[in-house]
Each structure stands twice: as structure tokens, then as C-alpha cells.
Amino acid sequence: MKKIALVFSLISAFSFAQTDVEDQAPESMVSLQTAQNVMTYDLRGIYQIADKTCAVDQGHTFNSVKYSEGEQQLSTDLKKRINQYLNSDAYAADGHFYIDLTISKSGDIKQINVGPDVPNTRYFYEDLKSAVKKLKGKWIPASCDTTPIESKVRVKLLFDSLVIDNNPN
């Protein structure tokens, strides 16, 4: 009799264990659709990085690099491109970032660097670079006296991300 009771108790225990596992399976699965990332940013400014080759104190005249459409249009275009190219669901960016542009003597963007160096930002930085590459306007290069020179422009950005978990459990 004890053996029969033991067998029935083991069978019932296994059946409840199976039921528990089946009940837990949907809740323990991770769904990427249960979270939402809200990312905001502020364009903090566009600055000419100082050029040491054109010494104003020695009588040279320095003219800074300019965006052909004007600084306000650059700001508008850059915001538009960032909105198009950044995937807020793929990453969460928080803090100060910058985009450094090297403008050639002919007015083309020669190089784009994004920083600071932060781990796991490769795709975020690639998207920022893509946004800058798609700017429609042309650059008027900086000049020393009347000679065009290579120059650098820094765009400062402040990002803030909020991850919202829509999962009720």
C-alpha cells in the first residue's frame, strides 16, 4: 500500500511540475517588443576648432569655415538627418557627444570623427556619421589671408535616453 501511495505521489508531483513549467514559459521569454526607447538630443553648438597655422598676431587674416546655406540651415539640416538615421530602438545614448569634421581646402568633408571613445557605441557612431554625410550643403573652407586652408569643425550634442518597459509583469 505504501508503494502505491508513493507511486501516486510521484506521478502527481511530476504532473504539477510539468504544469508549472508550461505556465511559466510565456512569462519567462524575453520579447523585444515589450520595451520602448525614447531618445532625445540637443544640438549644443557648432564650433570652429582653433587653427594654429594662421597667426593673426603676425598680421594674417583668418576667415573661419562656413556652411554655404548658413549656420541656422546647417543646424536644421543636421537635426533632420539625425532624426532620419538614428535608430532609437537599437541603442540608448546618454551624455555629451561630439562630431568632428575635417573640411578640406576645396570645401569637402574629408574626415568625420565621433566621440568620446565609449564602449559599445560603434553602430551609434556609424549612424551619426551617415547623418553628416547626407548633408546637402557645401562648405566654404577657412582661409588664411585669401588662401583656403584645411580646418576642423566640432558639433556638440547632448543625448538623453529613457527606456520604458511596457511589460505588465
PDB file of all heavy atoms in Angstrom, residues 105-136:
ATOM      1  N   LYS A 105      40.558  71.936 -48.193  1.00  0.00           N
ATOM      2  CA  LYS A 105      40.763  73.236 -48.830  1.00  0.00           C
ATOM      3  C   LYS A 105      39.732  73.500 -49.926  1.00  0.00           C
ATOM      4  O   LYS A 105      39.455  74.643 -50.263  1.00  0.00           O
ATOM      5  CB  LYS A 105      42.167  73.311 -49.438  1.00  0.00           C
ATOM      6  CG  LYS A 105      43.280  73.294 -48.432  1.00  0.00           C
ATOM      7  CD  LYS A 105      44.640  73.295 -49.122  1.00  0.00           C
ATOM      8  CE  LYS A 105      45.745  73.195 -48.117  1.00  0.00           C
ATOM      9  NZ  LYS A 105      47.073  73.190 -48.759  1.00  0.00           N
ATOM     10  N   SER A 106      39.159  72.426 -50.465  1.00  0.00           N
ATOM     11  CA  SER A 106      38.155  72.583 -51.526  1.00  0.00           C
ATOM     12  C   SER A 106      36.732  72.657 -50.965  1.00  0.00           C
ATOM     13  O   SER A 106      35.782  72.840 -51.734  1.00  0.00           O
ATOM     14  CB  SER A 106      38.268  71.422 -52.521  1.00  0.00           C
ATOM     15  OG  SER A 106      38.016  70.199 -51.867  1.00  0.00           O
ATOM     16  N   GLY A 107      36.564  72.508 -49.657  1.00  0.00           N
ATOM     17  CA  GLY A 107      35.246  72.623 -49.043  1.00  0.00           C
ATOM     18  C   GLY A 107      34.515  71.307 -48.868  1.00  0.00           C
ATOM     19  O   GLY A 107      33.336  71.289 -48.520  1.00  0.00           O
ATOM     20  N   ASP A 108      35.182  70.185 -49.103  1.00  0.00           N
ATOM     21  CA  ASP A 108      34.571  68.870 -48.918  1.00  0.00           C
ATOM     22  C   ASP A 108      34.844  68.358 -47.505  1.00  0.00           C
ATOM     23  O   ASP A 108      35.849  68.717 -46.890  1.00  0.00           O
ATOM     24  CB  ASP A 108      35.145  67.868 -49.926  1.00  0.00           C
ATOM     25  CG  ASP A 108      34.854  68.256 -51.364  1.00  0.00           C
ATOM     26  OD1 ASP A 108      33.728  68.730 -51.614  1.00  0.00           O
ATOM     27  OD2 ASP A 108      35.749  68.089 -52.217  1.00  0.00           O
ATOM     28  N   ILE A 109      33.944  67.502 -47.035  1.00  0.00           N
ATOM     29  CA  ILE A 109      34.190  66.848 -45.740  1.00  0.00           C
ATOM     30  C   ILE A 109      35.208  65.746 -45.990  1.00  0.00           C
ATOM     31  O   ILE A 109      34.936  64.783 -46.702  1.00  0.00           O
ATOM     32  CB  ILE A 109      32.897  66.273 -45.139  1.00  0.00           C
ATOM     33  CG1 ILE A 109      31.892  67.384 -44.856  1.00  0.00           C
ATOM     34  CG2 ILE A 109      33.206  65.497 -43.861  1.00  0.00           C
ATOM     35  CD1 ILE A 109      30.539  66.901 -44.374  1.00  0.00           C
ATOM     36  N   LYS A 110      36.378  65.917 -45.424  1.00  0.00           N
ATOM     37  CA  LYS A 110      37.482  64.994 -45.649  1.00  0.00           C
ATOM     38  C   LYS A 110      37.438  63.832 -44.656  1.00  0.00           C
ATOM     39  O   LYS A 110      37.763  62.698 -44.997  1.00  0.00           O
ATOM     40  CB  LYS A 110      38.794  65.769 -45.513  1.00  0.00           C
ATOM     41  CG  LYS A 110      40.037  65.003 -45.803  1.00  0.00           C
ATOM     42  CD  LYS A 110      41.246  65.924 -45.699  1.00  0.00           C
ATOM     43  CE  LYS A 110      42.535  65.174 -45.877  1.00  0.00           C
ATOM     44  NZ  LYS A 110      43.694  66.073 -45.763  1.00  0.00           N
ATOM     45  N   GLN A 111      37.052  64.138 -43.416  1.00  0.00           N
ATOM     46  CA  GLN A 111      37.058  63.117 -42.369  1.00  0.00           C
ATOM     47  C   GLN A 111      35.980  63.447 -41.341  1.00  0.00           C
ATOM     48  O   GLN A 111      35.720  64.621 -41.052  1.00  0.00           O
ATOM     49  CB  GLN A 111      38.430  63.068 -41.703  1.00  0.00           C
ATOM     50  CG  GLN A 111      38.597  61.966 -40.702  1.00  0.00           C
ATOM     51  CD  GLN A 111      40.023  61.923 -40.157  1.00  0.00           C
ATOM     52  OE1 GLN A 111      40.857  62.793 -40.432  1.00  0.00           O
ATOM     53  NE2 GLN A 111      40.312  60.913 -39.383  1.00  0.00           N
ATOM     54  N   ILE A 112      35.366  62.400 -40.780  1.00  0.00           N
ATOM     55  CA  ILE A 112      34.364  62.554 -39.730  1.00  0.00           C
ATOM     56  C   ILE A 112      34.781  61.680 -38.555  1.00  0.00           C
ATOM     57  O   ILE A 112      34.974  60.470 -38.710  1.00  0.00           O
ATOM     58  CB  ILE A 112      32.964  62.128 -40.215  1.00  0.00           C
ATOM     59  CG1 ILE A 112      32.547  62.911 -41.450  1.00  0.00           C
ATOM     60  CG2 ILE A 112      31.941  62.290 -39.093  1.00  0.00           C
ATOM     61  CD1 ILE A 112      31.300  62.376 -42.130  1.00  0.00           C
ATOM     62  N   ASN A 113      34.923  62.288 -37.398  1.00  0.00           N
ATOM     63  CA  ASN A 113      35.229  61.550 -36.171  1.00  0.00           C
ATOM     64  C   ASN A 113      34.127  61.831 -35.161  1.00  0.00           C
ATOM     65  O   ASN A 113      33.675  62.970 -35.030  1.00  0.00           O
ATOM     66  CB  ASN A 113      36.575  61.978 -35.575  1.00  0.00           C
ATOM     67  CG  ASN A 113      37.734  61.589 -36.455  1.00  0.00           C
ATOM     68  OD1 ASN A 113      37.758  60.507 -37.013  1.00  0.00           O
ATOM     69  ND2 ASN A 113      38.694  62.483 -36.606  1.00  0.00           N
ATOM     70  N   VAL A 114      33.719  60.795 -34.447  1.00  0.00           N
ATOM     71  CA  VAL A 114      32.691  60.929 -33.427  1.00  0.00           C
ATOM     72  C   VAL A 114      33.289  60.474 -32.103  1.00  0.00           C
ATOM     73  O   VAL A 114      34.060  59.522 -32.047  1.00  0.00           O
ATOM     74  CB  VAL A 114      31.445  60.088 -33.784  1.00  0.00           C
ATOM     75  CG1 VAL A 114      30.356  60.263 -32.751  1.00  0.00           C
ATOM     76  CG2 VAL A 114      30.927  60.468 -35.162  1.00  0.00           C
ATOM     77  N   GLY A 115      32.935  61.146 -31.049  1.00  0.00           N
ATOM     78  CA  GLY A 115      33.482  60.789 -29.747  1.00  0.00           C
ATOM     79  C   GLY A 115      32.558  61.215 -28.632  1.00  0.00           C
ATOM     80  O   GLY A 115      31.474  61.747 -28.892  1.00  0.00           O
ATOM     81  N   PRO A 116      32.960  60.990 -27.420  1.00  0.00           N
ATOM     82  CA  PRO A 116      34.220  60.407 -26.962  1.00  0.00           C
ATOM     83  C   PRO A 116      34.228  58.894 -27.153  1.00  0.00           C
ATOM     84  O   PRO A 116      33.211  58.299 -27.496  1.00  0.00           O
ATOM     85  CB  PRO A 116      34.244  60.761 -25.482  1.00  0.00           C
ATOM     86  CG  PRO A 116      32.805  60.834 -25.086  1.00  0.00           C
ATOM     87  CD  PRO A 116      32.080  61.346 -26.299  1.00  0.00           C
ATOM     88  N   ASP A 117      35.392  58.296 -26.922  1.00  0.00           N
ATOM     89  CA  ASP A 117      35.511  56.842 -27.035  1.00  0.00           C
ATOM     90  C   ASP A 117      34.761  56.190 -25.885  1.00  0.00           C
ATOM     91  O   ASP A 117      35.164  56.294 -24.729  1.00  0.00           O
ATOM     92  CB  ASP A 117      36.981  56.423 -27.007  1.00  0.00           C
ATOM     93  CG  ASP A 117      37.714  56.837 -28.265  1.00  0.00           C
ATOM     94  OD1 ASP A 117      37.051  56.911 -29.321  1.00  0.00           O
ATOM     95  OD2 ASP A 117      38.916  57.102 -28.198  1.00  0.00           O
ATOM     96  N   VAL A 118      33.648  55.557 -26.226  1.00  0.00           N
ATOM     97  CA  VAL A 118      32.804  54.892 -25.243  1.00  0.00           C
ATOM     98  C   VAL A 118      32.568  53.471 -25.743  1.00  0.00           C
ATOM     99  O   VAL A 118      32.316  53.281 -26.930  1.00  0.00           O
ATOM    100  CB  VAL A 118      31.450  55.635 -25.094  1.00  0.00           C
ATOM    101  CG1 VAL A 118      30.555  54.952 -24.087  1.00  0.00           C
ATOM    102  CG2 VAL A 118      31.673  57.085 -24.704  1.00  0.00           C
ATOM    103  N   PRO A 119      32.641  52.471 -24.865  1.00  0.00           N
ATOM    104  CA  PRO A 119      32.397  51.094 -25.311  1.00  0.00           C
ATOM    105  C   PRO A 119      30.992  50.925 -25.882  1.00  0.00           C
ATOM    106  O   PRO A 119      30.045  51.581 -25.453  1.00  0.00           O
ATOM    107  CB  PRO A 119      32.558  50.260 -24.034  1.00  0.00           C
ATOM    108  CG  PRO A 119      33.265  51.129 -23.059  1.00  0.00           C
ATOM    109  CD  PRO A 119      32.993  52.539 -23.448  1.00  0.00           C
ATOM    110  N   ASN A 120      30.868  50.037 -26.844  1.00  0.00           N
ATOM    111  CA  ASN A 120      29.589  49.636 -27.439  1.00  0.00           C
ATOM    112  C   ASN A 120      28.846  50.773 -28.152  1.00  0.00           C
ATOM    113  O   ASN A 120      27.623  50.818 -28.131  1.00  0.00           O
ATOM    114  CB  ASN A 120      28.679  49.013 -26.382  1.00  0.00           C
ATOM    115  CG  ASN A 120      29.318  47.833 -25.703  1.00  0.00           C
ATOM    116  OD1 ASN A 120      29.968  47.024 -26.343  1.00  0.00           O
ATOM    117  ND2 ASN A 120      29.158  47.738 -24.394  1.00  0.00           N
ATOM    118  N   THR A 121      29.580  51.677 -28.765  1.00  0.00           N
ATOM    119  CA  THR A 121      28.929  52.788 -29.477  1.00  0.00           C
ATOM    120  C   THR A 121      29.158  52.732 -30.988  1.00  0.00           C
ATOM    121  O   THR A 121      28.848  53.676 -31.690  1.00  0.00           O
ATOM    122  CB  THR A 121      29.449  54.142 -28.958  1.00  0.00           C
ATOM    123  OG1 THR A 121      30.874  54.159 -29.055  1.00  0.00           O
ATOM    124  CG2 THR A 121      29.001  54.405 -27.543  1.00  0.00           C
ATOM    125  N   ARG A 122      29.679  51.632 -31.477  1.00  0.00           N
ATOM    126  CA  ARG A 122      30.046  51.535 -32.890  1.00  0.00           C
ATOM    127  C   ARG A 122      28.873  51.865 -33.820  1.00  0.00           C
ATOM    128  O   ARG A 122      28.998  52.691 -34.727  1.00  0.00           O
ATOM    129  CB  ARG A 122      30.583  50.138 -33.177  1.00  0.00           C
ATOM    130  CG  ARG A 122      31.022  49.959 -34.601  1.00  0.00           C
ATOM    131  CD  ARG A 122      31.657  48.596 -34.804  1.00  0.00           C
ATOM    132  NE  ARG A 122      31.188  48.088 -36.071  1.00  0.00           N
ATOM    133  CZ  ARG A 122      30.890  46.833 -36.322  1.00  0.00           C
ATOM    134  NH1 ARG A 122      31.001  45.945 -35.386  1.00  0.00           N
ATOM    135  NH2 ARG A 122      30.489  46.468 -37.501  1.00  0.00           N
ATOM    136  N   TYR A 123      27.728  51.232 -33.622  1.00  0.00           N
ATOM    137  CA  TYR A 123      26.590  51.447 -34.516  1.00  0.00           C
ATOM    138  C   TYR A 123      26.007  52.855 -34.356  1.00  0.00           C
ATOM    139  O   TYR A 123      25.595  53.473 -35.330  1.00  0.00           O
ATOM    140  CB  TYR A 123      25.510  50.392 -34.284  1.00  0.00           C
ATOM    141  CG  TYR A 123      26.014  49.003 -34.591  1.00  0.00           C
ATOM    142  CD1 TYR A 123      26.161  48.052 -33.593  1.00  0.00           C
ATOM    143  CD2 TYR A 123      26.380  48.655 -35.891  1.00  0.00           C
ATOM    144  CE1 TYR A 123      26.641  46.786 -33.879  1.00  0.00           C
ATOM    145  CE2 TYR A 123      26.870  47.397 -36.189  1.00  0.00           C
ATOM    146  CZ  TYR A 123      26.995  46.459 -35.176  1.00  0.00           C
ATOM    147  OH  TYR A 123      27.484  45.224 -35.466  1.00  0.00           O
ATOM    148  N   PHE A 124      25.976  53.341 -33.147  1.00  0.00           N
ATOM    149  CA  PHE A 124      25.507  54.702 -32.886  1.00  0.00           C
ATOM    150  C   PHE A 124      26.392  55.700 -33.634  1.00  0.00           C
ATOM    151  O   PHE A 124      25.900  56.605 -34.320  1.00  0.00           O
ATOM    152  CB  PHE A 124      25.525  54.950 -31.378  1.00  0.00           C
ATOM    153  CG  PHE A 124      25.208  56.358 -30.971  1.00  0.00           C
ATOM    154  CD1 PHE A 124      23.986  56.926 -31.270  1.00  0.00           C
ATOM    155  CD2 PHE A 124      26.130  57.114 -30.270  1.00  0.00           C
ATOM    156  CE1 PHE A 124      23.693  58.231 -30.888  1.00  0.00           C
ATOM    157  CE2 PHE A 124      25.845  58.404 -29.879  1.00  0.00           C
ATOM    158  CZ  PHE A 124      24.623  58.965 -30.197  1.00  0.00           C
ATOM    159  N   TYR A 125      27.709  55.537 -33.530  1.00  0.00           N
ATOM    160  CA  TYR A 125      28.639  56.441 -34.200  1.00  0.00           C
ATOM    161  C   TYR A 125      28.537  56.316 -35.726  1.00  0.00           C
ATOM    162  O   TYR A 125      28.613  57.315 -36.440  1.00  0.00           O
ATOM    163  CB  TYR A 125      30.068  56.183 -33.737  1.00  0.00           C
ATOM    164  CG  TYR A 125      30.368  56.693 -32.342  1.00  0.00           C
ATOM    165  CD1 TYR A 125      31.598  56.488 -31.764  1.00  0.00           C
ATOM    166  CD2 TYR A 125      29.415  57.374 -31.599  1.00  0.00           C
ATOM    167  CE1 TYR A 125      31.889  56.966 -30.489  1.00  0.00           C
ATOM    168  CE2 TYR A 125      29.680  57.840 -30.328  1.00  0.00           C
ATOM    169  CZ  TYR A 125      30.925  57.636 -29.778  1.00  0.00           C
ATOM    170  OH  TYR A 125      31.207  58.099 -28.514  1.00  0.00           O
ATOM    171  N   GLU A 126      28.356  55.101 -36.235  1.00  0.00           N
ATOM    172  CA  GLU A 126      28.208  54.922 -37.675  1.00  0.00           C
ATOM    173  C   GLU A 126      26.953  55.641 -38.183  1.00  0.00           C
ATOM    174  O   GLU A 126      26.971  56.252 -39.252  1.00  0.00           O
ATOM    175  CB  GLU A 126      28.141  53.434 -38.034  1.00  0.00           C
ATOM    176  CG  GLU A 126      29.483  52.746 -37.957  1.00  0.00           C
ATOM    177  CD  GLU A 126      29.399  51.253 -38.215  1.00  0.00           C
ATOM    178  OE1 GLU A 126      28.304  50.746 -38.568  1.00  0.00           O
ATOM    179  OE2 GLU A 126      30.427  50.590 -38.064  1.00  0.00           O
ATOM    180  N   ASP A 127      25.877  55.584 -37.407  1.00  0.00           N
ATOM    181  CA  ASP A 127      24.651  56.277 -37.795  1.00  0.00           C
ATOM    182  C   ASP A 127      24.824  57.794 -37.764  1.00  0.00           C
ATOM    183  O   ASP A 127      24.322  58.505 -38.633  1.00  0.00           O
ATOM    184  CB  ASP A 127      23.482  55.855 -36.905  1.00  0.00           C
ATOM    185  CG  ASP A 127      23.011  54.435 -37.200  1.00  0.00           C
ATOM    186  OD1 ASP A 127      23.436  53.864 -38.223  1.00  0.00           O
ATOM    187  OD2 ASP A 127      22.223  53.903 -36.396  1.00  0.00           O
ATOM    188  N   LEU A 128      25.552  58.305 -36.773  1.00  0.00           N
ATOM    189  CA  LEU A 128      25.829  59.742 -36.731  1.00  0.00           C
ATOM    190  C   LEU A 128      26.663  60.167 -37.937  1.00  0.00           C
ATOM    191  O   LEU A 128      26.392  61.205 -38.559  1.00  0.00           O
ATOM    192  CB  LEU A 128      26.559  60.122 -35.439  1.00  0.00           C
ATOM    193  CG  LEU A 128      25.706  60.282 -34.193  1.00  0.00           C
ATOM    194  CD1 LEU A 128      26.584  60.539 -32.978  1.00  0.00           C
ATOM    195  CD2 LEU A 128      24.697  61.407 -34.356  1.00  0.00           C
ATOM    196  N   LYS A 129      27.663  59.374 -38.291  1.00  0.00           N
ATOM    197  CA  LYS A 129      28.490  59.683 -39.460  1.00  0.00           C
ATOM    198  C   LYS A 129      27.650  59.669 -40.738  1.00  0.00           C
ATOM    199  O   LYS A 129      27.805  60.536 -41.600  1.00  0.00           O
ATOM    200  CB  LYS A 129      29.640  58.677 -39.583  1.00  0.00           C
ATOM    201  CG  LYS A 129      30.733  58.871 -38.563  1.00  0.00           C
ATOM    202  CD  LYS A 129      31.821  57.824 -38.738  1.00  0.00           C
ATOM    203  CE  LYS A 129      32.893  57.954 -37.684  1.00  0.00           C
ATOM    204  NZ  LYS A 129      33.959  56.946 -37.870  1.00  0.00           N
ATOM    205  N   SER A 130      26.748  58.708 -40.850  1.00  0.00           N
ATOM    206  CA  SER A 130      25.874  58.639 -42.030  1.00  0.00           C
ATOM    207  C   SER A 130      24.999  59.879 -42.131  1.00  0.00           C
ATOM    208  O   SER A 130      24.770  60.401 -43.228  1.00  0.00           O
ATOM    209  CB  SER A 130      24.993  57.392 -41.965  1.00  0.00           C
ATOM    210  OG  SER A 130      25.771  56.237 -42.061  1.00  0.00           O
ATOM    211  N   ALA A 131      24.510  60.348 -40.998  1.00  0.00           N
ATOM    212  CA  ALA A 131      23.676  61.555 -40.985  1.00  0.00           C
ATOM    213  C   ALA A 131      24.457  62.753 -41.510  1.00  0.00           C
ATOM    214  O   ALA A 131      23.948  63.537 -42.311  1.00  0.00           O
ATOM    215  CB  ALA A 131      23.155  61.821 -39.574  1.00  0.00           C
ATOM    216  N   VAL A 132      25.709  62.891 -41.086  1.00  0.00           N
ATOM    217  CA  VAL A 132      26.541  64.021 -41.520  1.00  0.00           C
ATOM    218  C   VAL A 132      26.869  63.907 -43.010  1.00  0.00           C
ATOM    219  O   VAL A 132      26.846  64.900 -43.741  1.00  0.00           O
ATOM    220  CB  VAL A 132      27.830  64.113 -40.670  1.00  0.00           C
ATOM    221  CG1 VAL A 132      28.800  65.126 -41.252  1.00  0.00           C
ATOM    222  CG2 VAL A 132      27.497  64.454 -39.228  1.00  0.00           C
ATOM    223  N   LYS A 133      27.140  62.700 -43.476  1.00  0.00           N
ATOM    224  CA  LYS A 133      27.480  62.506 -44.895  1.00  0.00           C
ATOM    225  C   LYS A 133      26.339  62.900 -45.820  1.00  0.00           C
ATOM    226  O   LYS A 133      26.569  63.239 -46.978  1.00  0.00           O
ATOM    227  CB  LYS A 133      27.865  61.044 -45.149  1.00  0.00           C
ATOM    228  CG  LYS A 133      29.204  60.655 -44.575  1.00  0.00           C
ATOM    229  CD  LYS A 133      29.476  59.178 -44.791  1.00  0.00           C
ATOM    230  CE  LYS A 133      30.754  58.752 -44.106  1.00  0.00           C
ATOM    231  NZ  LYS A 133      30.983  57.299 -44.205  1.00  0.00           N
ATOM    232  N   LYS A 134      25.121  62.856 -45.329  1.00  0.00           N
ATOM    233  CA  LYS A 134      23.961  63.158 -46.163  1.00  0.00           C
ATOM    234  C   LYS A 134      23.574  64.636 -46.170  1.00  0.00           C
ATOM    235  O   LYS A 134      22.570  65.001 -46.773  1.00  0.00           O
ATOM    236  CB  LYS A 134      22.757  62.322 -45.719  1.00  0.00           C
ATOM    237  CG  LYS A 134      22.960  60.836 -45.920  1.00  0.00           C
ATOM    238  CD  LYS A 134      23.126  60.512 -47.390  1.00  0.00           C
ATOM    239  CE  LYS A 134      23.325  59.033 -47.588  1.00  0.00           C
ATOM    240  NZ  LYS A 134      23.486  58.658 -48.962  1.00  0.00           N
ATOM    241  N   LEU A 135      24.360  65.491 -45.528  1.00  0.00           N
ATOM    242  CA  LEU A 135      24.085  66.930 -45.576  1.00  0.00           C
ATOM    243  C   LEU A 135      24.194  67.405 -47.021  1.00  0.00           C
ATOM    244  O   LEU A 135      25.124  67.045 -47.737  1.00  0.00           O
ATOM    245  CB  LEU A 135      25.067  67.697 -44.690  1.00  0.00           C
ATOM    246  CG  LEU A 135      24.897  67.519 -43.191  1.00  0.00           C
ATOM    247  CD1 LEU A 135      26.043  68.203 -42.452  1.00  0.00           C
ATOM    248  CD2 LEU A 135      23.569  68.065 -42.718  1.00  0.00           C
ATOM    249  N   LYS A 136      23.252  68.220 -47.441  1.00  0.00           N
ATOM    250  CA  LYS A 136      23.177  68.656 -48.846  1.00  0.00           C
ATOM    251  C   LYS A 136      24.072  69.856 -49.154  1.00  0.00           C
ATOM    252  O   LYS A 136      24.543  70.007 -50.265  1.00  0.00           O
ATOM    253  CB  LYS A 136      21.730  69.011 -49.198  1.00  0.00           C
ATOM    254  CG  LYS A 136      20.766  67.870 -49.053  1.00  0.00           C
ATOM    255  CD  LYS A 136      20.851  66.938 -50.216  1.00  0.00           C
ATOM    256  CE  LYS A 136      19.764  65.890 -50.116  1.00  0.00           C
ATOM    257  NZ  LYS A 136      20.079  64.655 -50.712  1.00  0.00           N
TER     258      LYS A 136
END
